[in-house]
Amino acid sequence: MLWVSPGNVEPLATIRADLERGPEEATRTIGAGLVRLAPLGVLLPLLWQRLGGTRFASLFRTGFLGGMIALALEVGQSFVPSRVADVDTVILNTVGIALAHQLCYSRLRHRLLREPRQGARTPARRRATPPPAAAPERGADPGRAGRARRCWGPARSERRETAALSPRG
């Protein structure tokens, strides 16, 4: 027979017990609870690319969904005979998700939305490259009839013809 302690449904009871055991034990257990699901704070916004809106709205969405995932994991864990549910684990996992989101929010927003961060240097804008010209249709006149006209200037062949005809001085 395996002895299993009863589940903890009182918030912060396990955290208080860990703090009473000493700083090393508290650091180990609380740190593990914070880090366990922290990558979800970065991955959940990337999953739907939902970094638009305010920082608080994105934090709320990520924290809520991360908390629901942590709760589902704890409920699923309670069906295993040697494991018990602990509300403090859900709290620590959700706080870890929120902290990771806050630490990475500005970099993620910059990379996904291509917005400059405050205080960051912005690179010089590159000149937009024009799309490739459409291929002439088969059997069409090799002149202008089969080619698409570029709207930003004459085609290369037209520039060469103009340069050949102009007098050089």
Side-chain angles (χ1 to χ4, degrees):
M1 176 97 187
L2 182 63
W3 176 256
V4 178
S5 62
N8 174 29
V9 292
E10 181 185 344
L12 306 177
T14 308
I15 295 173
R16 272 191 236 111
D18 289 339
L19 289 172
E20 289 173 1
R21 289 187 193 130
E24 291 176 5
E25 179 70 19
T27 303
R28 186 181 64 79
T29 56
I30 293 172
L34 289 173
V35 172
R36 186 172 293 125
L37 293 180
L40 289 178
V42 178
L43 297 175
L44 288 176
L46 289 176
L47 186 61
W48 293 286
Q49 295 185 355
R50 294 292 304 259
L51 288 171
T54 64
R55 185 179 204 132
F56 180 74
S58 180
L59 174 66
F60 180 76
R61 280 191 304 261
T62 304
F64 179 76
L65 188 57
M68 291 297 110
I69 291 171
L71 181 64
L73 288 173
E74 279 298 310
V75 168
Q77 179 177 310
S78 67
F79 292 120
V80 177
S82 65
R83 303 293 301 219
V84 293
D86 186 5
V87 71
D88 291 336
T89 305
V90 175
I91 292 170
L92 288 173
N93 289 339
T94 305
V95 169
I97 291 168
L99 283 174
H101 180 271
Q102 286 298 93
L103 291 174
C104 299
Y105 178 81
S106 63
R107 287 189 186 264
L108 288 174
R109 184 175 175 101
H110 170 69
R111 287 184 188 245
L112 285 179
L113 302 178
R114 302 285 187 233
E115 290 181 359
R117 295 186 323 237
Q118 286 183 337
R121 296 184 311 175
T122 56
R125 293 191 178 253
R126 293 183 182 165
R127 185 175 170 203
T129 57
E137 297 177 15
R138 291 189 151 213
D141 183 27
R144 290 190 56 125
R147 288 188 302 181
R149 172 142 169 81
R150 298 182 194 184
C151 11
W152 55 83
R156 276 190 211 147
S157 61
E158 293 174 357
R159 280 183 274 178
R160 271 189 249 127
E161 292 170 5
T162 308
L165 296 175
S166 65
R168 298 191 185 212

